[in-house]
Amino acid sequence: MINYDGKRFRKVTAGPEAPVAHYRQDGDLVWGSSAGADVRRGSLTGLAAPDGTLTFAYTMVLANGRTVSGRCESVPEVLPDGRIRLHETWERYGPDADSGTSCIEELPRDVTSPERGQS
């Protein structure tokens, strides 16, 4: 089983100012927080399957004051250097309802990120 505790992720195509998500894990329970760029604060809570697939709900408060919520399933890929890439299928609810796919990747330990996103 993949252990997500203490890992940090950022969208693959994003620059250094993009939101960073900090994951925590206890058994199959996974939670996290994020911040950076247009995300003032985000959180997620969900479960990790034995194969490392994550299923969770998320919420975010954006810089413009809007709130966003939805659900996501993330399928892990272990990269040659041992880091994790998550292939996400997400759905957003409410007035800005949408769905799609994205990809986030574990940051190397030596990359710094905004402190306000840590849990």
Side-chain angles (χ1 to χ4, degrees), residues 54 71-75 86-91 99-102:
L54 301 175
R71 66 181 179 90
C72 183
E73 180 177 273
S74 299
V75 178
L86 292 171
H87 300 271
E88 303 178 311
T89 302
W90 51 268
E91 180 180 9
S99 62
T101 60
S102 56

Side-chain angles (χ1 to χ4, degrees), residues 12 17 22 27-28 32 35-37 40 42 47 71 77-78 80 87-88 102 105 115 118:
V12 170
E17 296 302 315
H22 299 257
D28 66 345
R40 288 178 56 195
L47 298 172
R71 66 181 179 90
E77 170 191 359
V78 178
H87 300 271
E88 303 178 311
S102 56
E105 197 169 275
E115 293 299 313
Q118 294 193 18

Side-chain angles (χ1 to χ4, degrees), residues 6-72:
K7 297 193 182 301
R8 299 171 305 139
F9 294 87
R10 179 183 290 146
K11 191 172 180 181
V12 170
T13 58
E17 296 302 315
V20 173
H22 299 257
Y23 282 46
R24 301 298 312 267
Q25 183 172 355
D26 183 11
D28 66 345
L29 183 63
V30 176
W31 68 97
S33 62
S34 61
D38 64 341
V39 177
R40 288 178 56 195
R41 180 76 173 170
S43 64
L44 66 90
T45 305
L47 298 172
D51 68 356
T53 297
L54 301 175
T55 304
F56 59 84
Y58 67 87
T59 59
M60 291 185 284
V61 175
L62 305 178
N64 64 8
R66 297 192 75 144
T67 58
V68 176
S69 64
R71 66 181 179 90
C72 183

